[in-house]
Amino acid sequence: MSDPLTLELSINGTKQSVSVADSNEPLLYVLRNQLGQHGPKFGCGVQQCGACTVLVNGEVVRSCVKKIDDLSSGAAVTTLDGLGTPENPHPLQRAFVDQQAAQCGYCINGIMLGALAWLRSRFKAGNRAVPTDNEIKQFLSKDKVYLCRCGAHLRIIRAIQQAAKEMA
């Protein structure tokens, strides 16, 4: 067992102090068990499915394998819980609802947060074009794979395209 750790984090824009008995504890467990974040899910536990995806300082992180000790004090963690509200959803949330892109919903956390980081990186690079079906398929299956077993792939593609239009 590792040493206890107390860390200051920004969770969805709110500063919070987190204390763990074991500094090797996965970020996912801290988020779900201590901080009440229900967006990231435990899927495979080996960073292969994407269900646990969060953004740390804007970068995609698989929280099931990211040790809490690997975060620096003050790190900004964004979860699906912090993207929008029922009254004012984020464009990705609205698009996924509009396109009925979630069947069971287990993968949606990872796909939405991954898509958010991907779209932001495209915009930052000056590419504000709505991504093509093939570009989205590549995003979903390249470096950070996002698995969906329900067969909602076409609706997911349409939702990402709808959100890209609104976000651009």
Side-chain angles (χ1 to χ4, degrees):
M1 184 147 116
S2 226
D3 294 328
L5 174 71
T6 299
L7 196 59
E8 298 293 323
L9 298 174
S10 174
I11 307 296
N12 298 321
T14 302
K15 293 195 182 307
Q16 298 197 28
S17 181
V18 175
S19 295
V20 294
D22 181 354
S23 60
N24 286 319
E25 186 166 352
L27 174 59
L28 175 64
Y29 298 170
V30 173
L31 291 170
R32 289 188 62 83
N33 299 337
Q34 287 190 35
L35 300 173
Q37 301 298 302
H38 301 291
K41 310 269 188 287
F42 183 87
C44 65
V46 292
Q47 69 182 348
Q48 298 297 309
C49 71
C52 68
T53 301
V54 298
L55 302 181
V56 176
N57 299 325
E59 299 295 320
V60 171
V61 168
R62 299 294 170 95
S63 65
C64 68
V65 296
K66 183 73 163 178
K67 294 182 219 171
I68 190 73
D69 190 28
D70 290 341
L71 298 179
S72 59
S73 191
V77 179
T78 303
T79 71
L80 184 60
D81 307 83
L83 282 190
T85 64
E87 302 79 26
N88 188 25
H90 186 278
L92 272 166
Q93 292 170 313
R94 186 173 24 262
F96 273 70
V97 170
D98 289 350
Q99 297 298 328
Q100 298 179 1
Q103 192 164 331
C104 82
Y106 214 81
C107 67
I108 294 304
N109 169 79
I111 292 172
M112 287 179 73
L113 286 168
L116 177 61
W118 180 63
L119 289 170
R120 284 178 176 168
S121 72
R122 287 171 56 93
F123 298 157
K124 187 176 180 181
N127 184 356
R128 295 202 169 273
V130 174
T132 66
D133 290 8
N134 283 335
E135 287 174 318
I136 295 171
K137 289 174 188 176
Q138 280 188 309
F139 149 69
L140 291 171
S141 62
K142 206 172 174 189
D143 304 320
K144 296 280 190 185
V145 174
Y146 298 92
L147 298 180
C148 173
R149 293 183 176 184
C150 296
H153 299 90
L154 295 177
R155 293 178 295 197
I156 290 168
I157 289 169
R158 287 193 306 263
I160 292 172
Q161 289 170 330
Q162 177 183 327
K165 285 178 193 170
E166 187 174 340
M167 291 170 63

mmCIF file with all atom_site columns, all heavy atoms in Angstrom, residues 10-15 77:
data_model
loop_
_atom_site.group_PDB
_atom_site.id
_atom_site.type_symbol
_atom_site.label_atom_id
_atom_site.label_alt_id
_atom_site.label_comp_id
_atom_site.label_asym_id
_atom_site.label_entity_id
_atom_site.label_seq_id
_atom_site.pdbx_PDB_ins_code
_atom_site.Cartn_x
_atom_site.Cartn_y
_atom_site.Cartn_z
_atom_site.occupancy
_atom_site.B_iso_or_equiv
_atom_site.pdbx_formal_charge
_atom_site.auth_seq_id
_atom_site.auth_comp_id
_atom_site.auth_asym_id
_atom_site.auth_atom_id
_atom_site.pdbx_PDB_model_num
ATOM 1  N N   . SER A 1 10 ? -9.561  20.778 -9.238  1.00 0.00 ? 10 SER A N   1
ATOM 2  C CA  . SER A 1 10 ? -10.716 21.519 -9.728  1.00 0.00 ? 10 SER A CA  1
ATOM 3  C C   . SER A 1 10 ? -11.584 20.502 -10.466 1.00 0.00 ? 10 SER A C   1
ATOM 4  O O   . SER A 1 10 ? -11.200 20.006 -11.519 1.00 0.00 ? 10 SER A O   1
ATOM 5  C CB  . SER A 1 10 ? -10.276 22.644 -10.665 1.00 0.00 ? 10 SER A CB  1
ATOM 6  O OG  . SER A 1 10 ? -11.413 23.256 -11.236 1.00 0.00 ? 10 SER A OG  1
ATOM 7  N N   . ILE A 1 11 ? -12.724 20.174 -9.883  1.00 0.00 ? 11 ILE A N   1
ATOM 8  C CA  . ILE A 1 11 ? -13.633 19.202 -10.480 1.00 0.00 ? 11 ILE A CA  1
ATOM 9  C C   . ILE A 1 11 ? -14.782 19.969 -11.117 1.00 0.00 ? 11 ILE A C   1
ATOM 10 O O   . ILE A 1 11 ? -15.584 20.590 -10.430 1.00 0.00 ? 11 ILE A O   1
ATOM 11 C CB  . ILE A 1 11 ? -14.174 18.199 -9.422  1.00 0.00 ? 11 ILE A CB  1
ATOM 12 C CG1 . ILE A 1 11 ? -13.028 17.550 -8.638  1.00 0.00 ? 11 ILE A CG1 1
ATOM 13 C CG2 . ILE A 1 11 ? -15.089 17.171 -10.076 1.00 0.00 ? 11 ILE A CG2 1
ATOM 14 C CD1 . ILE A 1 11 ? -12.087 16.691 -9.468  1.00 0.00 ? 11 ILE A CD1 1
ATOM 15 N N   . ASN A 1 12 ? -14.813 19.956 -12.433 1.00 0.00 ? 12 ASN A N   1
ATOM 16 C CA  . ASN A 1 12 ? -15.852 20.674 -13.178 1.00 0.00 ? 12 ASN A CA  1
ATOM 17 C C   . ASN A 1 12 ? -15.948 22.136 -12.759 1.00 0.00 ? 12 ASN A C   1
ATOM 18 O O   . ASN A 1 12 ? -17.026 22.689 -12.627 1.00 0.00 ? 12 ASN A O   1
ATOM 19 C CB  . ASN A 1 12 ? -17.204 19.967 -13.029 1.00 0.00 ? 12 ASN A CB  1
ATOM 20 C CG  . ASN A 1 12 ? -17.165 18.575 -13.592 1.00 0.00 ? 12 ASN A CG  1
ATOM 21 O OD1 . ASN A 1 12 ? -16.556 18.330 -14.626 1.00 0.00 ? 12 ASN A OD1 1
ATOM 22 N ND2 . ASN A 1 12 ? -17.793 17.646 -12.902 1.00 0.00 ? 12 ASN A ND2 1
ATOM 23 N N   . GLY A 1 13 ? -14.775 22.739 -12.515 1.00 0.00 ? 13 GLY A N   1
ATOM 24 C CA  . GLY A 1 13 ? -14.717 24.154 -12.181 1.00 0.00 ? 13 GLY A CA  1
ATOM 25 C C   . GLY A 1 13 ? -14.841 24.476 -10.707 1.00 0.00 ? 13 GLY A C   1
ATOM 26 O O   . GLY A 1 13 ? -14.751 25.640 -10.326 1.00 0.00 ? 13 GLY A O   1
ATOM 27 N N   . THR A 1 14 ? -15.042 23.467 -9.858  1.00 0.00 ? 14 THR A N   1
ATOM 28 C CA  . THR A 1 14 ? -15.164 23.683 -8.426  1.00 0.00 ? 14 THR A CA  1
ATOM 29 C C   . THR A 1 14 ? -13.947 23.103 -7.720  1.00 0.00 ? 14 THR A C   1
ATOM 30 O O   . THR A 1 14 ? -13.648 21.917 -7.872  1.00 0.00 ? 14 THR A O   1
ATOM 31 C CB  . THR A 1 14 ? -16.446 23.004 -7.878  1.00 0.00 ? 14 THR A CB  1
ATOM 32 O OG1 . THR A 1 14 ? -17.574 23.531 -8.578  1.00 0.00 ? 14 THR A OG1 1
ATOM 33 C CG2 . THR A 1 14 ? -16.607 23.239 -6.392  1.00 0.00 ? 14 THR A CG2 1
ATOM 34 N N   . LYS A 1 15 ? -13.262 23.937 -6.945  1.00 0.00 ? 15 LYS A N   1
ATOM 35 C CA  . LYS A 1 15 ? -12.084 23.463 -6.219  1.00 0.00 ? 15 LYS A CA  1
ATOM 36 C C   . LYS A 1 15 ? -12.517 22.540 -5.087  1.00 0.00 ? 15 LYS A C   1
ATOM 37 O O   . LYS A 1 15 ? -13.426 22.855 -4.334  1.00 0.00 ? 15 LYS A O   1
ATOM 38 C CB  . LYS A 1 15 ? -11.292 24.645 -5.676  1.00 0.00 ? 15 LYS A CB  1
ATOM 39 C CG  . LYS A 1 15 ? -10.676 25.477 -6.783  1.00 0.00 ? 15 LYS A CG  1
ATOM 40 C CD  . LYS A 1 15 ? -9.616  26.411 -6.264  1.00 0.00 ? 15 LYS A CD  1
ATOM 41 C CE  . LYS A 1 15 ? -9.038  27.283 -7.347  1.00 0.00 ? 15 LYS A CE  1
ATOM 42 N NZ  . LYS A 1 15 ? -8.540  26.632 -8.506  1.00 0.00 ? 15 LYS A NZ  1
ATOM 43 N N   . VAL A 1 77 ? -10.135 18.724 -13.648 1.00 0.00 ? 77 VAL A N   1
ATOM 44 C CA  . VAL A 1 77 ? -10.748 17.487 -14.117 1.00 0.00 ? 77 VAL A CA  1
ATOM 45 C C   . VAL A 1 77 ? -12.165 17.807 -14.572 1.00 0.00 ? 77 VAL A C   1
ATOM 46 O O   . VAL A 1 77 ? -12.951 18.385 -13.819 1.00 0.00 ? 77 VAL A O   1
ATOM 47 C CB  . VAL A 1 77 ? -10.770 16.410 -13.013 1.00 0.00 ? 77 VAL A CB  1
ATOM 48 C CG1 . VAL A 1 77 ? -11.432 15.133 -13.512 1.00 0.00 ? 77 VAL A CG1 1
ATOM 49 C CG2 . VAL A 1 77 ? -9.358  16.134 -12.498 1.00 0.00 ? 77 VAL A CG2 1
#
